[in-house]
Amino acid sequence: MNRFAKLSRAFPFVSALSRAFPKSEVYLVGGAVRDILLGREVTDYDFVVRGVAARELARFLGKLGRVDLVGRVFGVLKFVPKKMKVELEPFDIALPRTETSTGDGGYRDFVVRSDPRLRIEDDLARRDFTINAMAFQLPSFPASQRSADRLVDPFGGLQDLRKKTIRAVGKPAERFREDYSRMLRGLRFAMQLGFGIEEKTWKALVSLMPRINDEHETPKGPERVVPYETIARELLKALVADPAKTIELWHDSRALKTLMPELLKMRGCPQPPNYHSEGDVWTHMIMALKVLRSPQFRREFGKELPDAMTTLAVLFHDIGKPYTIQTPEKNGTDRIRFNEHDKIGAEVTEKIARRLHLSAPGEFGVDTEKLSWLIAHHLLAVHGNVVAMKASTLEKYFFNPNVPGETLFKLMFADGSATIAENGKPMLTDYRALRARCGALSKGAKRYTLPKPFLNGDEVMKLLKLKPGPEVGEALRALREEQLASRVHTKAQAKIFLKKSHAQ
């Protein structure tokens, strides 16, 4: 196991612990073992320590760094060694433990029992998937035959890594009934690792997915067994890893039907073939999500992967179409139309985002209002004449730090790339025109950087002898349009323009 060779030197507390407690055993466990075996970057390390009582372990680690007892109820110590690298998460250090589910299926609904004498194999047996149920024993000090490096793999996790398979530990239905959020974790691991899901694990997952919405009674009333915050975190992590495959997998597993049934209305919703030869609204949406991982998207916006906001905007951008569809047969229209689907889609999107608490999950959370704004404005170029569009309008949408203008461009590019005309080509003309207009406005400077206005509101009021009110705003907008259109070049010219326009 050469990939683990440097671990003992990387964690000096292990040798110190071995000196203080010669009979102790220290194991690296869980996701860190999996990711080291896969050659993936690791920033989060979990350890299990055998042979040392909890209080003694906490007291000893306190001499080597900071110990946080917030996880004590689950038998876990948060440990930050002195001189620890900033980019690493605090180490989770625990005694071997067993977990007994209370039967509700909540991720916190466990009775945890820690025992320093418990076998490491018994600790691993409580974990969700075989690829997360491996441990690597770190050598003690001084090294001995007992403490030689070894991988502990009682459930065939290494073989499943090689087969690129997600498989539950033991009986899948039992694992999922213990904690229903494990089903979404399985879907997320499949996306992040590019793995398939083993047949029995998949069947249990599909069968039990509706239980993700279960509730249980508490003194405060009914509460969700799996909080929406947990669902949002699993969804967003999976979407960022692989947008199109995540939605397809969530559909096949019944997760969409259970948690976001509004999306399913897009399946079979027809579109006018002269504008959308690619197919129905669902097909268009999946194609747009695939664009986010395409070479064309990387050439347009750089190598950094699209964030959760961009991905959700593409996912939801046409969700309003099934709610607004009009056809020649039913409504007497000239063709299939979706009038105001951008507006209705923004409303539906906001309801889903608030229901699922999509703003909640730490670094992945999204601003619900900005997400709704993106859906409401994704047809900006289609609804307006790009060539004739006012410069101040472009500034409002693409140079304004208070709105996600760059994300709107990404959404428009994905939408246009997945909108296939009758000739088989993507419809990106309006997008290209907007890019060109914005590029001309910035005059080769950093993208979306515009010159400061020549005059502010106070200066306009003083110049035109106005009181605060709508007239001041109108004057500022008119002047800004002249400045951005390069018809006014100096502050002196700005004053002349305002005096003339005000006199008229």
Side-chain angles (χ1 to χ4, degrees):
M1 292 297 170
N2 294 332
R3 299 174 189 176
F4 295 92
K6 297 180 181 179
L7 283 180
S8 297
R9 294 192 297 273
F11 306 115
F13 81 90
V14 174
S15 296
L17 190 64
S18 298
R19 291 189 185 95
F21 304 96
K23 294 184 178 181
S24 65
E25 297 175 4
V26 182
Y27 296 88
L28 182 68
V29 297
V33 176
R34 175 199 70 220
D35 289 342
I36 289 171
L37 289 170
L38 290 173
R40 290 163 56 92
E41 181 182 5
V42 182
T43 60
D44 192 3
Y45 293 90
D46 296 348
F47 299 88
V48 167
V49 177
R50 294 188 69 242
V52 185
R55 289 185 179 180
E56 291 180 312
L57 180 60
R59 189 181 306 116
F60 179 79
L61 293 175
K63 298 176 183 178
L64 304 178
R66 188 179 78 249
V67 176
D68 188 349
L69 302 179
V70 293
R72 186 169 46 185
V73 67
F74 294 108
V76 179
L77 301 174
K78 298 285 186 179
F79 174 55
V80 181
K82 296 175 182 177
K83 299 181 180 180
M84 180 175 171
K85 292 182 179 181
V86 177
E87 65 268 20
L88 295 180
E89 295 290 327
F91 299 154
D92 280 1
I93 300 182
L95 302 184
R97 61 196 192 275
T98 59
E99 295 175 349
T100 303
S101 172
T102 62
D104 287 330
Y107 78 114
R108 293 182 182 274
D109 296 330
F110 288 92
V111 176
V112 179
R113 293 185 176 88
S114 298
D115 183 351
R117 297 167 297 181
L118 191 71
R119 297 188 316 148
I120 186 63
E121 290 83 358
D122 295 328
D123 177 275
L124 296 175
R126 67 183 175 79
R127 299 175 185 267
D128 51 8
F129 302 105
T130 61
I131 60 173
N132 298 330
M134 294 181 284
F136 186 81
Q137 184 176 1
L138 298 172
S140 62
F141 182 89
S144 67
Q145 181 69 27
R146 173 190 62 78
S147 63
D149 301 2
R150 67 186 184 100
L151 182 70
V152 183
D153 180 20
F155 305 105
L158 182 59
Q159 183 179 6
D160 284 338
L161 279 183
R162 290 168 176 163
K163 294 191 300 182
K164 296 185 176 182
T165 298
I166 306 294
R167 181 165 59 91
V169 172
K171 296 180 180 179
E174 290 182 5
R175 292 289 81 76
F176 294 146
R177 287 193 184 99
E178 291 170 350
D179 178 359
Y180 291 128
S181 71
R182 286 173 172 169
M183 297 185 290
L184 299 184
R185 277 168 54 81
L187 299 181
R188 189 243 301 172
F189 285 133
M191 293 300 94
Q192 290 180 323
L193 303 176
F195 283 16
I197 300 178
E198 181 266 337
E199 183 179 2
K200 291 181 180 179
T201 302
W202 175 254
K203 287 182 178 179
L205 187 153
V206 174
S207 174
L208 292 171
M209 186 58 71
R211 303 295 299 274
I212 204 82
N213 277 333
D214 279 6
E215 295 182 338
H216 56 184
E217 289 296 328
T218 73
K220 297 181 180 179
E223 289 185 358
R224 292 185 60 83
V225 167
V226 180
Y228 277 129
E229 291 83 356
T230 301
I231 292 169
R233 182 172 63 252
E234 296 298 342
L235 169 62
L236 296 182
K237 284 184 176 181
L239 276 174
V240 169
D242 195 323
K245 286 186 179 179
T246 292
I247 294 304
E248 290 172 332
L249 193 62
W250 269 53
H251 171 264
D252 294 343
S253 68
R254 300 203 293 176
L256 279 189
K257 182 179 180 180
T258 305
L259 295 167
M260 288 188 289
E262 298 93 337
L263 283 171
L264 298 182
K265 294 179 181 294
M266 292 191 284
R267 292 180 66 86
C269 182
Q271 302 190 97
N274 52 327
Y275 295 105
H276 287 279
S277 66
E278 73 275 6
D280 65 9
V281 180
W282 177 270
T283 301
H284 167 75
M285 178 269 290
I286 292 295
M287 288 177 61
L289 287 175
K290 289 180 179 179
V291 169
L292 298 179
R293 288 297 183 276
S294 68
Q296 295 89 341
F297 191 89
R298 289 195 293 272
R299 285 196 296 268
E300 191 74 15
F301 299 102
K303 294 182 180 180
E304 186 175 344
L305 293 177
D307 59 12
M309 178 73 85
T310 304
T311 306
L312 287 174
V314 174
L315 172 63
F316 291 128
H317 77 278
D318 275 347
I319 198 169
K321 282 187 172 180
Y323 295 86
T324 59
I325 185 170
Q326 293 182 320
T327 65
E329 295 80 11
K330 290 185 179 181
N331 307 98
T333 52
D334 58 332
R335 62 173 176 83
I336 296 173
R337 290 191 175 275
F338 307 101
N339 296 333
E340 295 193 334
H341 81 267
D342 45 353
K343 177 183 176 182
I344 301 301
E347 294 173 358
V348 175
T349 297
E350 186 169 0
K351 288 179 181 178
I352 296 172
R354 293 193 184 283
R355 184 180 73 231
L356 295 183
H357 297 197
L358 295 181
S359 63
E363 73 276 19
F364 285 97
V366 299
D367 186 311
T368 299
E369 291 184 1
K370 289 183 178 178
L371 177 60
S372 179
W373 182 91
L374 287 164
I375 308 304
H377 294 93
H378 79 277
L379 295 177
L380 177 68
V382 177
H383 285 167
N385 184 334
V386 176
V387 176
M389 195 173 289
K390 288 184 178 181
S392 54
T393 299
L394 296 175
E395 179 181 29
K396 176 183 177 181
Y397 290 108
F398 299 106
F399 296 84
N400 182 352
N402 297 317
V403 299
E406 177 67 4
T407 304
L408 181 58
F409 263 135
K410 292 176 180 178
L411 169 56
M412 289 178 171
F413 181 83
D415 185 15
S417 297
T419 302
I420 310 301
E422 287 181 302
N423 61 8
K425 295 182 179 179
M427 299 179 69
L428 288 168
T429 302
D430 293 329
Y431 167 83
R432 296 295 182 199
L434 269 178
R435 274 293 198 196
R437 286 290 312 277
C438 289
L441 280 178
S442 61
K443 295 181 172 60
K446 185 179 179 181
R447 186 175 287 176
Y448 309 133
T449 299
L450 292 179
K452 293 182 179 180
F454 288 127
L455 300 174
N456 59 35
D458 291 335
E459 290 171 316
V460 170
M461 287 189 288
K462 183 177 179 181
L463 179 69
L464 302 181
K465 297 180 173 57
L466 296 174
K467 293 181 179 181
E471 196 173 359
V472 178
E474 292 174 6
L476 285 170
R477 284 190 291 273
L479 175 58
R480 187 61 171 166
E481 183 66 30
E482 294 299 303
Q483 180 183 358
L484 295 177
S486 298
R487 292 189 288 267
V488 169
H489 300 91
T490 66
K491 191 169 186 175
Q493 290 178 351
K495 290 180 178 180
I496 293 171
F497 167 79
L498 282 182
K499 286 180 178 179
K500 285 184 177 179
S501 60
H502 185 67
Q504 294 173 357

